[in-house]
Amino acid sequence: MNPLVQGLITIVIGVGGCVGYFYLSNLVVDHLIFPAKGKNAGRNINRANKVRPWLFLFPAIFALGLYLVYPVVGSFWRSLFNRAGTDFIGLGNYMALAASDEFRTAVLNNFLWVLFVPAGATAFGLLAAQLTDKMRWGNVAKSLIFMPMAISFVGASLIWKFVYANNADIGLINAVREALGASGPIDVLQIPFWNNFFLMVILIWIQTGFAMVILSAALRGIPEETVEAAVIDGANPFQIFFKIKVPQMMGTIVVVWTTITILVLKVFDIVYTMTGGNFGTQILPSYMMAYMFRDDGRATAVAFVIMLIVLPVMIWNIRQARRELR
Amino acid sequence: MSTHNVAGRKSALTWVVNISVIIMVVAWLIPTVGLLVSSFRERDQISQTGWWLAPLPVEQAFRARVPAEGATRDGERFVVEGNVFTLQGVANAFPGGGGNVTAFGTRSIQPGEFEAGTTAELRDGGTLTVSDDGTLRAELVENPEEGTPFVYFFAETPPKFTLDNYRTVLSADNMDIAFINTLTVTIPATIIPILIAAFAAYALAWMQFPGRGLLIAAVVGLLVVPLQLALVPMLSLHTQLGIGQSFVGIWLAHTGFGLPLAIYLLRNYMVGLPRDIIESAKVDGATDFEIFVRIVLPLSFPALASFAIFQFLWTWNDLLVAKVFLPSNDASKVMTVKIADDLLGSRGGDWGILATAAFVSIGVPLVVFFTLQRYLVRGLLAGSVKGG
């Protein structure tokens, strides 16, 4: 069957199924199990109202449990078994990872990514937000800097291949080098260590727009009086920015920073497309995909390591959310 | 005096700010513009000059045989006259008829040995002259009927923009199938989670029940669970259930992965709806189901739109989930997989094709982005500034 037709049928079944489920389950609860009539009417209405939230929540809880909670346990359990999944080898996969040079490179590189990508994107985003604030064509500028957010990581990687190409007639970097009189083109993606930074530039390029949008909203939220008071006291624009505005935006900056940090730990596309993890550019997400389909035990072990790195941020997020609820 | 100074400084600052923003915008745009320009250029021109020189003529090397027709005898020699731009194999590069020869040669190892307008000696003693307007005059020793020598020359070809790359990518490289596959993955994967999440978000926002706070915290926690964890266990579960690697599988997977953000965004929005409307509807005897369908859902349209755009962009641009949950045959590859796994390998050096394929895949998200940016920004703000 044509996949598109299959897709349309799925939409109808999916949407119809959801609506049908919610409608019918409410109907069943209200009229069959706890009918709001007869001598138990009052009690039945109360009971129905106790059950109803769970009717509303059930599909979501089921899907979340299956696709996000179960995998945490499932992946960990699988990571304790060998490649074929037949023999229990305890922490064998983790030991093998610890002993592997490539894993160590991946962890080290990931550390660099986590350090520099959020920092770069947040800094550029903050700069863009401040510069475009109250500017006449600020919205146009913002929209253009924000645009890479819509582009896939694969598309972005291809875009940057045209910047990094090892050919002065295609790659912008080599063209500039040639214009400056350097001899011969170089492949920046093969320069040991620094090639990681050329890859990070791509993600910074994408994420700056995200940081900018959120930080510029935070900038708008700063009370005018605080800035005016500083102006009257003779503060220069830099002092106003760093001493008045940035401290008031700190909460938002932290949120942006952590959001991008989490993203960095998930993105495998850029490394996969640009270098395939060669030339010492491996990071954990791409390292995991190198094992996917070949050695599930090792792959799940890498995935679980990523989970462990994300865990502190997760706990911090949950605490923040709970504090807000109170 | 001092006010003047301040004003002067202020306008200087405005200049600095404006110029900085221009620099930043240009820096952010240049890579994408390069891709767009390259996708419309001819293959030969791409390899000759950078895309930033695309509006300028390109110097290219050509090779053709000196024509044999119209040879006249001049004593011992045969004289051939003509124009290099009308020669076979050259003419179609110059649809305008003429061009500008910069150099020519008689040997393939030195195709630009002689300047235009000079006379070159042929190996067997004949001569060859090519002027800069392409006029050719050859004096040959041997009868041209028995074969003529090659002429090599450099000429500037006018800048050319074509849709050939798009034709090639869409037909020969199966990008059209991949495009439809991406669409097929994206639409159900965007619509289905919205419905499920909307009901759950309403329950979390407006219904009282034990464990509500815990569930909200759980959703916030699940927001950051790395997808990577789900790949192996869910694929093997899909296989056991008989779904395997299929469109149904990827729709389910995207639904599951999209739910935390959907519930989180929608709940944050629904909590902010005016309490009076909902309370008074309850007093009037409306059930939760009716309140949800008739009041909350229509009022939540902006949040629904925000999430729909997020989910659309995310599923359209996704490579990881598609690689794992879709079969890896040509019939079901989505565009990102097609580009990353096929084109980069088989068409690695064909820059025009790569640029075009990339542009085909990012075109739709860009249109969505520029038309619906408002909702996207609103969604980002609801998701990050409030909670996080």
Side-chain angles (χ1 to χ4, degrees):
Chain A
M1 192 174 14
N2 185 329
L4 202 59
V5 177
Q6 207 185 333
L8 289 175
I9 295 172
T10 307
I11 293 178
V12 174
I13 295 176
V15 172
C18 284
V19 173
Y21 160 79
F22 287 116
Y23 184 74
L24 289 177
S25 64
N26 271 281
L27 211 66
V28 167
V29 168
D30 285 337
H31 294 276
L32 292 178
I33 305 177
F34 301 120
K37 56 191 177 212
K39 64 177 194 292
N40 286 335
R43 221 178 73 189
N44 275 351
I45 290 178
N46 277 341
R47 278 178 172 170
N49 283 340
K50 277 208 177 116
V51 173
R52 202 176 334 269
W54 301 103
L55 290 184
F56 276 48
L57 285 166
F58 171 72
I61 291 180
F62 179 75
L64 286 176
L66 194 60
Y67 279 88
L68 289 168
V69 180
Y70 156 68
V72 178
V73 183
S75 266
F76 179 66
W77 184 243
R78 181 65 186 83
S79 73
L80 302 177
F81 287 82
N82 68 348
R83 179 176 174 167
T86 48
D87 298 325
F88 184 85
I89 54 170
L91 295 178
N93 282 315
Y94 295 91
M95 307 281 213
L97 285 182
S100 139
D101 277 342
E102 206 181 359
F103 177 74
R104 244 172 286 157
T105 314
V107 171
L108 221 66
N109 286 340
N110 236 149
F111 183 68
L112 289 177
W113 279 72
V114 165
L115 210 61
F116 286 100
V117 173
T122 312
F124 281 121
L126 196 56
L127 183 71
Q130 167 64 31
L131 290 179
T132 54
D133 196 38
K134 288 172 191 154
M135 180 187 260
R136 209 181 304 157
W137 57 289
N139 279 337
V140 179
K142 269 189 223 165
S143 168
L144 293 175
I145 294 175
F146 192 30
M147 182 203 65
M149 273 290 279
I151 296 174
S152 61
F153 296 121
V154 173
S157 303
L158 267 186
I159 287 176
W160 282 84
K161 269 190 183 267
F162 277 78
V163 177
Y164 295 155
N166 184 10
N167 177 340
D169 285 324
I170 291 168
L172 211 49
I173 285 195
N174 277 309
V176 171
R177 270 172 45 90
E178 194 183 72
L180 295 176
S183 63
I186 50 163
D187 191 345
V188 293
L189 296 178
Q190 294 191 30
I191 307 172
F193 184 70
W194 298 107
N195 50 8
N196 285 300
F197 290 88
F198 285 104
L199 295 179
M200 288 178 213
V201 165
I202 303 174
L203 196 52
I204 294 177
W205 177 74
I206 295 174
Q207 290 298 318
T208 294
F210 163 76
M212 176 196 67
V213 163
I214 290 168
L215 293 172
S216 96
L219 212 53
R220 296 247 163 100
I222 291 175
E224 275 296 318
E225 307 87 67
T226 59
V227 177
E228 276 163 18
V231 171
I232 291 167
D233 287 347
N236 67 35
F238 289 97
Q239 287 172 321
I240 292 174
F241 181 67
F242 285 108
K243 300 221 165 120
I244 309 292
K245 289 181 174 172
V246 170
Q248 295 194 66
M249 292 159 68
M250 221 45 198
T252 313
I253 291 177
V254 170
V255 169
V256 169
W257 194 293
T258 48
T259 309
I260 300 178
T261 305
I262 296 290
L263 183 90
V264 167
L265 288 165
K266 295 182 189 172
V267 175
F268 93 110
D269 318 36
I270 293 176
V271 168
Y272 181 81
T273 317
M274 295 298 273
T275 63
N278 295 313
F279 321 120
T281 57
Q282 197 70 281
I283 54 174
L284 287 175
S286 59
Y287 186 60
M288 189 230 164
M289 281 310 279
Y291 280 110
M292 187 77 207
F293 302 122
R294 293 202 291 123
D295 183 345
D296 283 352
R298 202 67 67 81
T300 45
V302 180
F304 203 74
V305 171
I306 300 176
M307 178 70 206
L308 289 181
I309 300 175
V310 172
L311 205 59
V313 182
M314 187 174 179
I315 293 169
W316 187 79
N317 274 358
I318 293 177
R319 278 182 148 175
Q320 290 292 108
R322 301 218 66 166
R323 194 174 307 154
E324 234 170 66
L325 281 180
R326 256 174 233 137
Chain B
M1 186 63 199
S2 77
T3 48
H4 175 81
N5 247 343
V6 168
R9 224 191 300 154
K10 203 170 181 187
S11 82
L13 189 68
T14 314
W15 270 104
V16 172
V17 167
N18 269 297
I19 290 169
S20 317
V21 174
I22 290 174
I23 292 173
M24 202 165 170
V25 168
V26 169
W28 250 253
L29 272 186
I30 274 183
T32 319
V33 172
L35 185 85
L36 179 61
V37 172
S38 301
S39 76
F40 289 108
R41 294 185 80 202
E42 262 202 343
R43 189 197 182 116
D44 296 338
Q45 299 210 331
I46 289 179
S47 56
Q48 288 297 324
T49 60
W51 61 265
W52 50 93
L53 298 175
L56 303 176
V58 177
E59 191 172 73
Q60 260 177 272
F62 293 95
R63 182 185 88 154
R65 268 192 195 282
V66 171
E69 306 88 48
T72 53
R73 255 201 113 106
D74 178 18
E76 292 281 287
R77 297 184 161 190
F78 299 87
V79 176
V80 182
E81 284 181 330
N83 191 301
V84 290
F85 293 116
T86 58
L87 295 183
Q88 203 183 357
V90 179
N92 45 7
F94 296 92
N100 191 18
V101 176
T102 49
F104 73 102
T106 58
R107 295 180 298 169
S108 61
I109 49 165
Q110 273 184 297
E113 197 178 357
F114 304 99
E115 258 179 64
T118 57
T119 300
E121 291 266 318
L122 288 168
R123 210 178 309 160
D124 58 5
T127 62
L128 178 67
T129 313
V130 180
S131 346
D132 54 5
D133 64 351
T135 314
L136 167 143
R137 183 188 158 86
E139 293 182 9
L140 305 172
V141 178
E142 279 168 32
N143 188 344
E145 307 280 309
E146 287 156 21
T148 53
F150 277 113
V151 53
Y152 302 88
F153 66 96
F154 282 101
E156 288 184 335
T157 55
K160 252 176 294 175
F161 297 97
T162 75
L163 290 173
D164 283 354
N165 291 329
Y166 284 86
R167 267 178 227 123
T168 314
V169 162
L170 289 178
S171 55
D173 285 319
N174 288 338
M175 236 359 217
D176 52 345
I177 300 176
F179 186 94
I180 290 178
N181 286 339
T182 299
L183 205 64
T184 309
V185 168
T186 307
I187 296 175
T190 305
I191 294 175
I192 296 173
I194 293 183
L195 257 179
I196 299 178
F199 276 95
Y202 174 77
L204 292 176
W206 287 104
M207 290 167 123
Q208 297 296 334
F209 59 92
R212 191 174 74 146
L214 214 64
L215 275 177
I216 296 171
V219 169
V220 172
L222 291 178
L223 273 174
V224 298
V225 168
L227 270 186
Q228 274 85 0
L229 278 174
L231 303 181
V232 172
M234 288 323 290
L235 185 61
S236 65
L237 189 70
H238 278 183
T239 312
Q240 282 164 27
L241 292 175
I243 303 171
Q245 287 182 314
S246 67
F247 281 102
V248 175
I250 198 171
W251 290 323
L252 290 174
H254 273 312
T255 301
F257 300 147
L259 273 179
L261 183 68
I263 298 175
Y264 181 66
L265 277 183
L266 293 176
R267 192 204 84 94
N268 273 358
Y269 190 87
M270 286 178 185
V271 155
L273 293 176
R275 181 170 283 274
D276 318 356
I277 303 180
I278 292 161
E279 302 271 287
S280 63
K282 270 193 184 152
V283 171
D284 289 346
T287 63
D288 276 308
F289 188 77
E290 285 164 345
I291 294 173
F292 173 74
V293 174
R294 302 242 173 87
I295 301 174
V296 173
L297 213 50
L299 284 179
S300 305
F301 176 75
L304 296 173
S306 294
F307 171 73
I309 295 168
F310 270 118
Q311 181 75 356
F312 175 83
L313 291 178
W314 155 246
T315 47
W316 186 282
N317 290 337
D318 160 78
L319 172 68
L320 184 62
V321 180
K323 258 183 85 69
V324 174
F325 288 98
L326 274 184
S328 57
N329 56 29
D330 244 1
S332 37
K333 267 184 186 152
V334 295
M335 286 191 286
T336 45
V337 177
K338 182 94 207 157
I339 292 172
D341 284 355
D342 282 7
L343 296 183
L344 274 175
S346 66
R347 297 275 202 172
D350 203 334
W351 294 95
I353 298 294
L354 287 181
T356 311
F359 213 78
V360 167
S361 82
I362 66 179
V364 174
L366 282 184
V367 170
V368 169
F369 172 82
F370 280 114
T371 50
L372 301 171
Q373 203 178 12
R374 216 157 30 109
Y375 293 109
L376 189 69
V377 170
R378 207 179 292 172
L380 275 184
L381 296 180
S384 300
V385 175
K386 268 188 84 178

